Amino acid sequence: MRLSREQETEIEAAVFRRLRDHLLARGDVQNIDLMNLAGFCRNCLANWYRDAAEAGGTAMTKEGAREIVYGMPYEEWRALHQKDATGDQLAAFETNRPKDEGQHG
């Protein structure tokens, strides 16, 4: 099946929204866990969102992109959901840290 560019864009947007909504519902999943398991986190998604917006000519702040991904201001999300990383989580992050620091949040 060959999709039109418009169909592809609509499907990709729906997939992004589903991923975002899934992460919104899973505030118990910490960003460091996402980084350790998948090499990206909510901050990465926000950075990629901002990059795409700016590539398309739409100015966007880091905070604005994070609010879209987190569903609320970032500091509010942190206060509600973020826990201090454990020693094991930090050690795993150091082991798994992406080589290109610009690729993650």
Side-chain angles (χ1 to χ4, degrees):
M1 170 188 236
R2 180 82 177 141
L3 299 174
S4 70
R5 184 66 187 132
E6 184 178 320
Q7 289 171 314
E8 191 174 276
T9 299
E10 288 174 11
I11 292 167
E12 289 168 352
V15 169
F16 169 78
R17 287 189 299 271
R18 188 170 179 179
L19 173 61
R20 180 202 58 204
D21 293 350
H22 179 77
L23 290 173
L24 286 172
R26 292 298 312 266
D28 61 308
V29 177
Q30 299 295 297
N31 279 334
I32 196 164
D33 293 324
L34 290 170
M35 285 298 298
N36 286 339
L37 292 171
F40 77 99
C41 67
R42 291 169 181 89
N43 291 332
C44 299
L45 286 176
N47 290 342
W48 301 338
Y49 194 97
R50 181 180 178 205
D51 290 347
E54 291 183 347
T58 300
M60 181 170 289
T61 65
K62 180 178 178 177
E63 294 76 20
R66 283 185 173 184
E67 190 163 339
I68 290 166
V69 169
Y70 284 91
M72 63 184 71
Y74 177 59
E75 292 304 321
E76 184 179 331
W77 187 91
R78 286 184 62 190
L80 290 170
H81 300 289
Q82 188 167 320
K83 298 177 179 134
D84 290 337
T86 66
D88 288 344
Q89 287 171 318
L90 292 172
F93 180 74
E94 288 306 317
T95 300
N96 299 318
R97 180 187 294 269
K99 304 298 184 241
D100 183 353
E101 292 295 320
Q103 294 302 306
H104 66 90

